[in-house]
Amino acid sequence: MSQVVVSTGINIAIIKYWGKRCEKLNLPLNSSFSITLNQDHLKTTTCASFDPNLTEDQLFVNSVEENIEKNARVCTCLKTIRELATRDTSHRHHVAITSQNNFPTAAGLASSASGYAALVASLAHLYDVTNTTDLSVIARRGSGSATRSMAGGFVEWTAGTDPDGLDSKAVQVYNRAHWPQLRVFILVTSAKRKSVPSTAGMRRSAATSSLLTHRVEVEVPRRLEAVKAAVGARDFPTFAKMAMMESNQLHAVCADSYPPIRYLSDVSYQVIEFVHAYNAHVGEERLAYSFDAGPNAFLFTLDAHAGQVAASLEHYFPPGGDKESFFRGMSYDGCDLAADIGFDRLAPGALEFVICTDVGGGPVVSRSS
């Protein structure tokens, strides 16, 4: 095999990963739980190939060349995969890697998760790595959240206790077919890079936030079991409440850090108000939000309500341009909105665009030769 193309989806954490017990190995303070999203709408595609014309390994990310030697995480992933190669690769040439996202990078949409997962999966196939059980451990060395993108469906990243981190890996709890009615609306409020990178934010929180300590020791263990039970039972109201409380606590920890960290924008807070106004109007937890370390919102609902949610989003957060470029992914046209919910309509353009998607699978090899 001299070339392989692999795509992976992003994931959105329901139980959040925030804080590291070992920064070098990307070992988390707590276990986390996520949903891998459909690659039809959000993915990283990575091509890895042996190139006889290269004098050193080469990496392009979104058409921009990066210096691999200055990227310790990429070097670690590449070195580890080469050590696991099952056949003699000493005669092989240097590797050319190209990686492309079809969504905004570094804006709170888990681009590092899908990016490093695609990198590790493509290199593993290129080098004929047959022991794939530990690939999520290798992906973790690139990006913590990439651990979870190595599996599809509903995934737990166990924190582990071993100093070497070999027990800190991804475990699929339910596959993508477990809850086919679940829908996710991604509201992009800004495609700009966030002001405080996640690693720097986690370091600051771990050093200064007493709330983070309470969260890791008390809140996460019980919430993790509650969310897994809710997903197992397809209990959307419980799932919705837990997802929102987890999101709130992540950003409370950020606010409790010193200096405080603010990832949410004014529009983010308006999205939160919209969700609670909508649920109050319909009389149940029919819609939920979750924010990672960025201003963009992930809204969860069921297919039966997705049309009303889409129509309501278009009404209360009107597009600044044409509707066709505003709504992307799964289509829900011609549905009635939830009117008069007690939420003021925003000026056009508050959201850049909206992507509607559902639960997705793990890495996909689309081409090899």
Side-chain angles (χ1 to χ4, degrees), residues 1-23:
M1 186 182 298
S2 60
Q3 183 184 76
V4 62
V5 178
V6 173
S7 61
T8 58
I10 73 168
N11 71 80
I12 172 63
I14 307 304
I15 300 298
K16 303 296 186 181
Y17 149 55
W18 195 253
K20 304 179 183 185
R21 62 182 173 93
C22 176
E23 195 165 308

Side-chain angles (χ1 to χ4, degrees), residues 152-167:
F154 302 84
V155 182
E156 180 179 355
W157 171 18
T158 56
T161 57
D162 292 347
D164 59 12
L166 293 180
D167 60 345

Side-chain angles (χ1 to χ4, degrees), residues 329-348:
M330 304 175 73
S331 178
Y332 287 93
D333 290 327
C335 299
D336 294 332
L337 61 90
D340 302 323
I341 65 173
F343 178 83
D344 292 333
R345 192 181 192 206
L346 272 65

Side-chain angles (χ1 to χ4, degrees), residues 23 36 68 83 94 116 148 179 219 245 277 284 324 358:
E23 195 165 308
T36 302
I68 290 183
E83 291 172 350
H94 290 286
Y116 278 99
R148 300 186 305 251
W179 204 351
E219 298 294 342
M245 291 177 68
E284 62 179 347
E324 186 173 338
D358 58 354

Side-chain angles (χ1 to χ4, degrees), residues 132-186:
T132 60
T133 57
D134 292 333
L135 289 184
S136 71
V137 174
I138 302 172
R140 189 201 70 227
R141 297 294 302 275
S143 168
S145 55
T147 313
R148 300 186 305 251
S149 278
M150 292 301 296
F154 302 84
V155 182
E156 180 179 355
W157 171 18
T158 56
T161 57
D162 292 347
D164 59 12
L166 293 180
D167 60 345
S168 181
K169 61 181 69 177
V171 178
Q172 185 185 72
V173 181
Y174 301 103
N175 64 30
R176 66 179 300 184
H178 172 72
W179 204 351
Q181 299 86 4
L182 193 63
R183 297 291 179 267
V184 184
F185 286 87
I186 303 170

